[in-house]
Amino acid sequence: MEGDSPSRSEQKLSLTGSVALGTGVMIGAGIFALVGQVAELTGGWVPWAFFAGAVVVAFSSYSYIRYSATNPSAGGIAMLLKAAYGPGVVAGSFSLFMYVSMILAESLLGRTFGTYLLRPFGMQDSALWVPVLAVVAIAAAALVNLVGNRWVERSATVTAAIKIIGIAVLAVAGILAAGASSLGRLFTAAERTPPEAGWLGFLAGVALCILAYKGFTTITNQGADLRDPKRNIGRSIMIAIGLCTVLYLLITVAVTGSLTVAQIVEARDYALAEAAQPTFGSWGVTLTVVIAVVATLSGLVASLFSVSKLYDMLRNMGQAPGLPGKEGHQSLFITAGLAIVMAAFFDLSQIAALGAILYLVMDIAIHWGIIRHVRSDVEAKTWIPWTAIVLDIAVLVPFTILKAQSDPFTGITTVVVASIIVLTQWLVVRRRNRDGEPSRETPAQHHSE
């Protein structure tokens, strides 16, 4: 890259490191904590729900890849929204939607860590120790990030390998134990428990499955830290999505082959560990717990690294506040602090629902921005983001309807959080315009009229 010294170039993330960071965020709480919640909505169609989630995400990834390959930066999503909508309330609000959904993902990882670590002791439902361990995990991941990029990349590469191999071994062994016919059952409706709410329930379940893939968006924030980003961002995203799709299909087939839907729902926060017990006994549970602990801790390390980059960009754009005093690692401290608060006060179901809604709304805004304002600049084919918008709405609406019926508190919380974000952005932009502060432009210029 132009202006990079050899030593600086060596410090940048490789394609392998980027994929490891992406899968590190993706293979975490999503697959370990959400299988039970997805089964509650989709019945025995869990594997197909995760496959449908992969299809939705594959279409969604196009907009991120086209923009990030053209304008690689440390705040990929924030820059994309600014390019599409200008440095105002809309771009700032949706950028913070993404930021908050990522923090919710981190709190989900933290609580999943606590839940699985306590499973061998029968304390996985503890209202005290689950949040305590979640806070410890997030704080530990923040300390790792203070060491620097090389340590983060090395740890992410090693732990990604452990997760991929470990989950693959569990999945394949589970499928073999259940018999090869468990794979055949994927393509037949026989003996499959239907969703209670029919297609509405299935589509709502897909919305949750998307949380297991949305970590791919953190790869767009690596632009300033990635070697040859214009080429490698897209490759990294597609490889990460492909790897996760295969793993998720294998593990969900194994789980549904080992447990009934009722059993999966009953153990919804730790379904993978429960599924290992009938086939492998206590050692299978222990192995699952070890993999879950590695997955969630490494996911936290990778997520804090990427999300802090996004917050850096938001602060530089004047759309998010900093702390008084020296800058240093402010973004890391703010991100970890907010994740700790959310992990302490919200349960897994509430965190997942809030994160899914905020993410999907932001995702729709991304695709609309590409279509309306920057499609010629990034040479995008508009039918793909249009398809992504339709798919997002198709899963968001059923999920919102069913969640409002079953858990009104989470629905109200989502509205409150979204309103606070928009109001805050309106006040920030109004003050900036009143004071005549210069817009802190970045290499990507906005194209709103």
Side-chain angles (χ1 to χ4, degrees):
M1 291 181 67
E2 193 176 333
D4 280 346
S5 65
S7 61
R8 187 179 169 190
S9 180
E10 285 173 10
Q11 291 175 353
K12 286 184 175 288
L13 292 169
S14 63
L15 176 62
T16 303
S18 175
V19 171
L21 279 171
T23 54
V25 177
M26 293 163 77
I27 305 174
I31 192 62
F32 285 97
L34 295 179
V35 172
Q37 294 185 45
V38 172
E40 210 168 8
L41 291 164
T42 66
W45 294 83
V46 176
W48 280 110
F50 274 90
F51 180 75
V55 172
V56 175
V57 169
F59 278 98
S60 284
S61 68
Y62 178 80
S63 295
Y64 298 85
I65 291 171
R66 290 308 312 147
Y67 183 82
S68 298
T70 308
N71 303 286
S73 74
I77 293 166
M79 293 303 303
L80 196 168
L81 287 163
K82 183 182 176 184
Y85 297 103
V89 176
V90 175
S93 296
F94 286 123
S95 293
L96 285 173
F97 275 26
M98 184 62 191
Y99 176 70
V100 172
S101 77
M102 287 174 163
I103 289 175
L104 286 161
E106 289 164 1
S107 58
L108 192 70
L109 284 164
R111 289 193 72 103
T112 304
F113 166 83
T115 301
Y116 272 80
L117 193 61
L118 293 167
R119 172 62 182 80
F121 309 103
M123 297 169 62
Q124 64 272 7
D125 297 317
S126 171
L128 172 64
W129 287 107
V130 169
V132 165
L133 288 174
V135 169
V136 170
I138 294 166
L143 285 174
V144 172
N145 271 273
L146 290 175
V147 178
N149 289 13
R150 295 301 295 276
W151 215 99
V152 171
E153 179 179 3
R154 285 173 187 158
S155 66
T157 304
V158 172
T159 53
I162 292 171
K163 285 187 289 188
I164 290 169
I165 294 169
I167 291 176
V169 167
L170 279 174
V172 172
I175 290 169
L176 290 174
S181 60
S182 59
L183 280 174
R185 286 200 298 271
L186 261 178
F187 304 99
T188 173
E191 300 178 17
R192 193 190 301 276
T193 306
E196 276 189 27
W199 277 104
L200 205 66
F202 178 82
L203 291 171
V206 174
L208 276 182
C209 292
I210 288 170
L211 288 179
Y213 295 98
K214 82 177 186 70
F216 85 85
T217 58
T218 61
I219 297 172
T220 66
N221 300 337
Q222 298 169 9
D225 295 284
L226 183 63
R227 294 177 206 155
D228 192 8
K230 293 193 176 184
R231 183 183 179 205
N232 282 336
I233 284 178
R235 293 168 68 194
S236 178
I237 287 173
M238 295 315 296
I239 292 169
I241 292 173
L243 269 173
C244 288
T245 302
V246 172
L247 282 177
Y248 294 166
L249 282 175
L250 288 174
I251 199 68
T252 50
V253 167
V255 170
T256 52
S258 177
L259 300 175
T260 64
V261 170
Q263 289 171 323
I264 297 171
V265 172
E266 187 180 350
R268 66 183 196 166
D269 290 348
Y270 48 92
L272 265 61
E274 203 68 15
Q277 186 150 14
T279 305
F280 307 111
S282 60
W283 75 266
V285 174
T286 302
L287 178 60
T288 308
V289 168
V290 169
I291 296 169
V293 166
V294 171
T296 49
L297 283 177
S298 60
L300 277 169
V301 170
S303 181
L304 282 169
F305 175 80
S306 297
V307 179
S308 297
K309 296 289 182 186
L310 173 60
Y311 197 79
D312 276 334
M313 183 60 66
L314 291 173
R315 283 174 55 224
N316 290 337
M317 292 165 63
Q319 291 176 318
L323 297 171
K326 288 186 176 180
E327 289 200 4
H329 295 280
Q330 274 195 28
S331 295
L332 176 62
F333 295 143
I334 291 169
T335 302
L338 289 172
I340 283 171
V341 170
M342 290 178 180
F345 295 105
F346 292 92
D347 66 27
L348 283 172
S349 177
Q350 292 166 336
I351 292 168
L354 183 54
I357 293 170
L358 288 178
Y359 170 74
L360 286 167
V361 170
M362 183 282 313
D363 197 55
I364 292 168
I366 289 279
H367 305 312
W368 179 247
I370 289 285
I371 293 166
R372 288 286 295 161
H373 300 295
V374 297
R375 67 180 182 276
S376 58
D377 296 339
V378 301
E379 299 175 358
K381 295 179 173 67
T382 55
W383 71 268
I384 302 178
W386 267 121
T387 304
I389 289 174
V390 170
L391 293 174
D392 279 348
I393 292 172
V395 299
L396 175 61
V397 172
F399 181 74
T400 305
I401 291 171
L402 292 182
K403 201 64 187 174
Q405 293 172 350
S406 65
D407 184 10
F409 173 77
T410 300
I412 293 167
T413 303
T414 306
V415 172
V416 170
V417 170
S419 300
I420 290 171
I421 289 172
V422 174
L423 178 61
T424 303
Q425 278 300 300
W426 180 76
L427 292 171
V428 167
V429 171
R430 186 182 178 199
R431 189 185 68 180
R432 191 171 65 202
N433 293 341
R434 185 190 65 214
D435 296 343
E437 293 179 22
S439 176
R440 285 178 269 188
E441 290 294 340
T442 48
Q445 300 297 315
H446 69 80
H447 298 276
S448 65
E449 296 298 323

